[in-house]
Amino acid sequence: MTTALREASVRDVSVFGDAIAYFNEAADLLELDAGMRRILTHPTRQIIFSIPFQRDSGEFEVYTGYRVQYNFARGPAKGGIRYHPGVTLDEVTALAFWMTWKCAVVDLPFGGGKGGVTCDPATLSANELERITRRYAAELVEVVGPDKDVPAPDVNTTPQVMAWFMDTYSMHVRQNTPGVVTGKPLDIGGSRGRVEATGRGVTICALDEMAVMGLRPETATIVIQGFGNVGRYAAKLFEERGCKIVGISDVTGAYYNEEGIYVSGAMEHTAKFRTLEGFKGGEKITNSELLSSQCDVLVPAALEKVFTPESAAKVQAKLVVEGANGPTTPEADRIFRERGINVIPDIMANAGGVTVSYFEWAQDRMGYFWKEAEVNEKLEDFLLSNLHAIRDIADSRHATLRTAAYTLAIDRVVKASKLRGIYA
Ligand code: NAD
C-alpha cells in the first residue's frame, strides 16, 4: 500500500457531514427556514462514471470518475478536479458544497462544483495521465462548458491536465473553447497570476488578519503543511513580505528550522526531485510535531481533516489560515474557539485561486488578457473587501470568522435562489 493509499483509508468519516455542520451553524444565525436548508444541503447533480484506459504496458484498467454540480443559483458550477487515491463521492460532494460558499463569499458569478478521479498519479506516466484526463473530459462533454460548469486544477491536477481537458472538449464541440476550464497554461488562454493565486490569496488574507491581531510580518513565524501549488507559493509570498517560514512539509516529511527556511531552496529541491524528501534546509520532524510546533501562523495546505480534537489541542499558533479545503473538523474547530485560536476559514482563505479562475474565464470570453499587476490588484480588492465584510459580521454577531463567512455566503445564495424561484 502506498503512503497516499494508507492516508486515504484513514480519512473514512463523512467529509460532507462535517461540511454540513458548519453550514447549520450559520443557517441558525440567519434563521434560515427549513425548506431552504433542505434545498441547500442537497447537491443538484452527481455524476459517476467509469474511466477505462490502457496502461503503457498494454494492460487495461478502469478507474472511477466523479463530477458533482452542487448549486447553480449564482451561475455556472465552478470547482477543481482532484486526482487522488482518497477521492470518493462523499469527498467530491463536500468539496462541491464548499465551492458553492467559496464562490459566493467572494461574490463571483458562479455556483459550486467539483470533480475527481480515484487514482494515484504517482504511479501513472504522463501518457497514462493524458489518456485518463481525455476520457474524463469526454464523459462530461454534455454537462460542462463556459455557461454550464467550469472545472479547474486541484490536488495533483496541473495546467497541463487542464490543457488536455480543454483540447478534448474543444475537439468534441468543434470549437476552440478556452473558457471551459481555468488554470490553463498562458499560451492557450490561461491568466497571468493564476498559478500563484491561491497561495497569494492565503498570504493576503493572513497579513490583513495579522495586522488586526497586532502580529508584525517582520517578527512573525509561519509554518506551512503541504508544499504543492498552494503551500509553496504561500511560503514564497510570506517570505517576500518579510515573514520567517520556520516549518514546511509534504507527503514525504516535515522540516523545521527556527532560523528560517530558505523557500527558494525548497522550491528548487522540489523542482528537481518532485518532493521534499532529502531536503537539507531544516531538521526533519514528524507531521504531528510540525502541527504543534512553535509559530505565530499555521497554514494547513495539504488535505482535509488535519485538525482533529487531538491535534487542535496541541496547536501553538495564534492564527490558523486554511489554505487547504476542510482541514479542520467541527470538533477541532470548537477547540480552536475555546483556546482563542483565530481561524481564517478555507472558503475565504483559499478563495484566491477561484477568484483568478474567474478572471481567467472573463478574459477568455473577452479574448483580451490583462497584465499580471492588474490581476493581482483586482485579486487583492476582491479578497480584502469580502474579508472585511466577514470581519464586520463576526464583530457584530459575536461569531467566528468561519460562521461569519458562511453567513455572508449563504445569504447571497439564498437571495439568488429566491429571486430565481424554485422551478418545479
Ligand atoms: P498539490 O497536489 O499541488 O499539493 C498538495 C501538497 O500536500 C503536496 O506537497 C503533498 O505532498 C502534500 N501532502 C499531501 N498529504 C500530506 C500529508 N499527509 N502531510 C503533509 N503534506 C501532505 O495540491 P494543492 O493544489 O496545493 O492543494 C492543496 C489543498 O488546497 C487542497 O485541500 C486543495 O483542495 C486546496 N485548494 C487548492 C487550490 C488550488 O488552486 N490549487 C485552490 C483552493 C484550495
Side-chain angles (χ1 to χ4, degrees), residues 196-404:
E196 304 86 356
T198 310
R200 184 177 294 279
V202 165
T203 317
I204 291 170
C205 292
L207 290 167
D208 198 70
E209 194 61 21
M210 283 160 65
V212 172
M213 295 169 70
L215 290 170
R216 290 178 32 239
E218 316 81 68
T219 52
T221 52
I222 319 272
V223 164
I224 300 179
Q225 184 204 36
F227 205 66
N229 177 269
V230 181
R232 189 170 1 146
Y233 291 110
K236 183 165 167 270
L237 294 161
F238 272 123
E239 190 182 65
E240 278 175 17
R241 293 296 300 270
C243 303
K244 198 196 276 182
I245 312 298
V246 291
I248 56 172
S249 76
D250 73 2
V251 73
T252 65
Y255 300 84
Y256 191 83
N257 184 344
E258 62 178 17
E259 300 303 319
I261 282 169
Y262 176 51
V263 176
S264 302
M267 286 175 85
E268 277 164 27
H269 187 95
T270 52
K272 206 161 157 193
F273 303 107
R274 240 172 106 160
T275 67
L276 284 170
E277 182 85 70
F279 178 61
K280 298 277 181 276
E283 185 198 341
K284 190 154 187 190
I285 56 171
T286 64
N287 183 48
S288 72
E289 284 168 337
L290 182 90
L291 297 178
S292 58
S293 60
Q294 187 66 50
C295 63
D296 295 310
V297 180
L298 179 55
V299 181
L303 293 169
E304 54 269 8
K305 288 185 183 291
V306 167
F307 296 118
T308 58
E310 297 75 50
S311 58
K314 293 189 204 137
V315 165
Q316 299 201 53
K318 302 174 184 79
L319 175 64
V320 171
V321 185
E322 295 182 338
N325 287 309
T328 310
T329 65
E331 300 76 30
D333 202 46
R334 226 164 285 132
I335 289 170
F336 283 150
R337 209 175 299 186
E338 282 161 17
R339 297 187 57 216
I341 295 171
N342 194 6
V343 180
I344 307 182
D346 46 9
I347 58 170
M348 179 71 237
N350 68 40
V354 74
T355 304
V356 176
S357 274
Y358 162 55
F359 299 159
E360 180 175 333
W361 176 80
Q363 291 171 82
D364 285 339
R365 293 170 76 107
M366 284 189 292
Y368 174 71
F369 292 86
W370 310 334
K371 291 194 167 69
E372 185 167 347
E374 193 173 348
V375 170
N376 291 344
E377 189 187 324
K378 284 185 163 73
L379 171 65
E380 183 150 342
D381 180 37
F382 266 70
L383 295 183
L384 290 185
S385 57
N386 288 296
L387 177 61
H388 297 168
I390 290 169
R391 206 178 279 139
D392 288 348
I393 296 172
D395 290 346
S396 65
R397 309 293 295 257
H398 305 293
T400 59
L401 290 176
R402 189 187 311 279
T403 304

